[in-house]
Amino acid sequence: SIPFSTQSIFWGWLEVRLMQECLEVLAKCGRRKTPEALMCLAEDFRSIHQAVEQHFRPQDGDSEISQDINLLPPDHAFRHVVSWSYLDQFLEAHGYTGNEVSTWCRSHVEYPLRLHKALLDYSLGNNQKSFRQTLNDVEAVIATAISDEGGSLLHHF
């Protein structure tokens, strides 16, 4: 039999994987996303999140098990990447103006470049010059963050 703590960690990482797949769906929709489609996706993602919480986590009545499984240490640079707020923030950024998206991308280097590119394409895709310039700027910010003293991204969050 597999120990319950091991099962909990497994289900926790599976939940993270589902959340990340939601991010990929959002990114792959490209410019075709309408505000209505974004609202539908947000609702679908909330439903998935609720179903995951209901079926992948221990029940409230189980006193020996913590509801919050710590998949990463509290001081880990990417701790927030394993929470649903990571998806929520990316989804929310789709409602920003072009300038706000540009600022958001520069201040959220924890997201992979492909997600930044998808978001920029969504908000700036009609203006290819602005899209290319902003993407180059975001690439430079990410490269700088990676190469900064020891490659630590902590101070960028």
Short mmCIF file of all heavy atoms in Angstrom, two decimals, residues 8 10 26 31 38 56 69 72 77 83 89 97 104 110 121 124 138 145 151 155 157:
data_model
loop_
_atom_site.label_atom_id
_atom_site.label_comp_id
_atom_site.label_asym_id
_atom_site.label_seq_id
_atom_site.Cartn_x
_atom_site.Cartn_y
_atom_site.Cartn_z
N SER A 8 -1.01 11.93 -1.25
CA SER A 8 -1.40 13.35 -1.19
C SER A 8 -0.48 14.21 -2.05
O SER A 8 -0.94 15.11 -2.75
CB SER A 8 -1.37 13.85 0.25
OG SER A 8 -2.34 13.18 1.02
N PHE A 10 1.27 13.16 -4.62
CA PHE A 10 0.98 12.80 -6.01
C PHE A 10 -0.24 13.57 -6.52
O PHE A 10 -0.21 14.19 -7.58
CB PHE A 10 0.74 11.29 -6.14
CG PHE A 10 0.23 10.89 -7.49
CD1 PHE A 10 1.10 10.76 -8.55
CD2 PHE A 10 -1.13 10.66 -7.71
CE1 PHE A 10 0.64 10.40 -9.82
CE2 PHE A 10 -1.60 10.31 -8.96
CZ PHE A 10 -0.72 10.18 -10.02
N LEU A 26 -5.59 28.31 -22.53
CA LEU A 26 -5.78 29.75 -22.65
C LEU A 26 -4.79 30.35 -23.63
O LEU A 26 -5.16 31.16 -24.50
CB LEU A 26 -5.63 30.39 -21.26
CG LEU A 26 -5.94 31.86 -21.11
CD1 LEU A 26 -7.37 32.17 -21.55
CD2 LEU A 26 -5.74 32.28 -19.66
N ARG A 31 -5.44 34.87 -30.59
CA ARG A 31 -6.22 36.10 -30.74
C ARG A 31 -7.72 35.85 -30.89
O ARG A 31 -8.51 36.77 -30.85
CB ARG A 31 -5.77 36.87 -31.99
CG ARG A 31 -4.52 37.65 -31.77
CD ARG A 31 -4.24 38.48 -32.99
NE ARG A 31 -2.95 38.05 -33.52
CZ ARG A 31 -2.49 38.36 -34.69
NH1 ARG A 31 -3.21 39.08 -35.51
NH2 ARG A 31 -1.31 37.96 -35.07
N LEU A 38 -13.39 34.39 -22.94
CA LEU A 38 -12.55 34.44 -21.75
C LEU A 38 -13.38 34.20 -20.48
O LEU A 38 -12.94 33.49 -19.57
CB LEU A 38 -11.82 35.78 -21.65
CG LEU A 38 -10.65 35.97 -22.60
CD1 LEU A 38 -10.15 37.41 -22.56
CD2 LEU A 38 -9.52 35.01 -22.26
N PHE A 56 -9.74 15.58 -5.14
CA PHE A 56 -8.32 15.27 -5.01
C PHE A 56 -7.78 15.57 -3.62
O PHE A 56 -6.65 15.24 -3.32
CB PHE A 56 -7.48 16.07 -6.00
CG PHE A 56 -7.59 15.62 -7.43
CD1 PHE A 56 -8.53 14.69 -7.83
CD2 PHE A 56 -6.74 16.12 -8.38
CE1 PHE A 56 -8.62 14.28 -9.15
CE2 PHE A 56 -6.82 15.73 -9.70
CZ PHE A 56 -7.77 14.81 -10.09
N ILE A 69 -1.28 20.87 1.25
CA ILE A 69 -0.08 20.07 1.08
C ILE A 69 0.98 21.00 0.52
O ILE A 69 0.78 21.65 -0.50
CB ILE A 69 -0.35 18.89 0.13
CG1 ILE A 69 -1.38 17.98 0.76
CG2 ILE A 69 0.93 18.16 -0.18
CD1 ILE A 69 -1.87 16.90 -0.13
N LEU A 72 6.09 22.69 -2.35
CA LEU A 72 7.40 23.34 -2.38
C LEU A 72 7.63 24.03 -1.05
O LEU A 72 6.68 24.46 -0.40
CB LEU A 72 7.45 24.37 -3.53
CG LEU A 72 7.32 23.81 -4.94
CD1 LEU A 72 7.23 24.94 -5.95
CD2 LEU A 72 8.50 22.91 -5.28
N ALA A 77 11.44 29.88 -4.78
CA ALA A 77 11.19 30.98 -5.73
C ALA A 77 9.93 30.77 -6.56
O ALA A 77 9.29 31.74 -6.97
CB ALA A 77 12.39 31.16 -6.65
N SER A 83 0.07 27.24 -7.50
CA SER A 83 -1.25 27.56 -6.96
C SER A 83 -2.16 28.05 -8.09
O SER A 83 -1.70 28.51 -9.13
CB SER A 83 -1.14 28.63 -5.86
OG SER A 83 -0.94 29.89 -6.45
N GLN A 89 -4.14 34.99 -12.30
CA GLN A 89 -3.42 36.22 -12.67
C GLN A 89 -3.23 36.31 -14.18
O GLN A 89 -3.39 37.38 -14.78
CB GLN A 89 -2.07 36.29 -11.97
CG GLN A 89 -2.16 36.51 -10.49
CD GLN A 89 -0.80 36.41 -9.81
OE1 GLN A 89 0.23 36.27 -10.45
NE2 GLN A 89 -0.83 36.46 -8.48
N THR A 97 -5.20 46.59 -20.85
CA THR A 97 -4.88 47.29 -22.09
C THR A 97 -3.49 46.88 -22.55
O THR A 97 -2.74 46.25 -21.79
CB THR A 97 -4.90 48.82 -21.88
OG1 THR A 97 -3.84 49.16 -20.98
CG2 THR A 97 -6.24 49.30 -21.35
N TRP A 104 2.70 44.25 -17.15
CA TRP A 104 2.45 43.00 -16.45
C TRP A 104 3.50 41.95 -16.83
O TRP A 104 4.05 41.28 -15.96
CB TRP A 104 1.04 42.49 -16.77
CG TRP A 104 0.65 41.29 -15.97
CD1 TRP A 104 0.01 41.28 -14.77
CD2 TRP A 104 0.87 39.91 -16.32
NE1 TRP A 104 -0.17 39.99 -14.35
CE2 TRP A 104 0.34 39.14 -15.27
CE3 TRP A 104 1.46 39.28 -17.40
CZ2 TRP A 104 0.38 37.74 -15.28
CZ3 TRP A 104 1.51 37.89 -17.41
CH2 TRP A 104 0.98 37.14 -16.37
N GLU A 110 8.11 35.06 -13.87
CA GLU A 110 7.94 33.67 -13.47
C GLU A 110 7.15 32.86 -14.50
O GLU A 110 7.15 31.63 -14.47
CB GLU A 110 7.26 33.58 -12.10
CG GLU A 110 5.81 34.01 -12.07
CD GLU A 110 5.60 35.50 -11.88
OE1 GLU A 110 6.53 36.29 -12.09
OE2 GLU A 110 4.47 35.88 -11.51
N ASP A 121 0.42 38.57 -27.97
CA ASP A 121 -0.23 38.39 -29.27
C ASP A 121 -1.72 38.70 -29.15
O ASP A 121 -2.31 39.32 -30.03
CB ASP A 121 -0.02 36.97 -29.77
CG ASP A 121 -0.60 36.76 -31.16
OD1 ASP A 121 -0.36 37.61 -32.05
OD2 ASP A 121 -1.31 35.76 -31.36
N LEU A 124 -1.76 42.71 -28.32
CA LEU A 124 -1.08 43.62 -29.26
C LEU A 124 -0.98 43.05 -30.67
O LEU A 124 -0.34 43.66 -31.52
CB LEU A 124 0.35 43.91 -28.76
CG LEU A 124 0.47 44.54 -27.38
CD1 LEU A 124 1.95 44.59 -26.97
CD2 LEU A 124 -0.12 45.93 -27.37
N VAL A 138 10.37 42.14 -23.24
CA VAL A 138 10.07 41.12 -22.24
C VAL A 138 11.16 40.04 -22.26
O VAL A 138 11.61 39.59 -21.19
CB VAL A 138 8.67 40.50 -22.48
CG1 VAL A 138 8.44 39.27 -21.62
CG2 VAL A 138 7.59 41.55 -22.21
N ALA A 145 16.77 38.72 -15.69
CA ALA A 145 16.37 38.08 -14.43
C ALA A 145 17.08 36.75 -14.23
O ALA A 145 17.52 36.43 -13.13
CB ALA A 145 14.85 37.88 -14.41
N GLY A 151 21.34 33.85 -10.68
CA GLY A 151 20.14 33.41 -11.36
C GLY A 151 18.90 33.45 -10.48
O GLY A 151 17.87 32.91 -10.84
N HIS A 155 13.91 38.29 -6.19
CA HIS A 155 13.70 39.74 -6.02
C HIS A 155 12.87 40.34 -7.13
O HIS A 155 12.46 41.49 -7.05
CB HIS A 155 15.03 40.47 -5.88
CG HIS A 155 15.98 40.21 -7.02
ND1 HIS A 155 15.80 40.74 -8.26
CD2 HIS A 155 17.10 39.47 -7.08
CE1 HIS A 155 16.78 40.35 -9.07
NE2 HIS A 155 17.57 39.58 -8.37
N PHE A 157 9.90 39.12 -7.98
CA PHE A 157 8.49 38.85 -7.71
C PHE A 157 8.02 39.89 -6.78
O PHE A 157 7.47 40.10 -5.97
CB PHE A 157 8.28 37.45 -7.17
CG PHE A 157 8.74 36.38 -8.11
CD1 PHE A 157 8.90 35.10 -7.66
CD2 PHE A 157 9.01 36.63 -9.43
CE1 PHE A 157 9.31 34.08 -8.50
CE2 PHE A 157 9.44 35.63 -10.29
CZ PHE A 157 9.60 34.35 -9.82
#
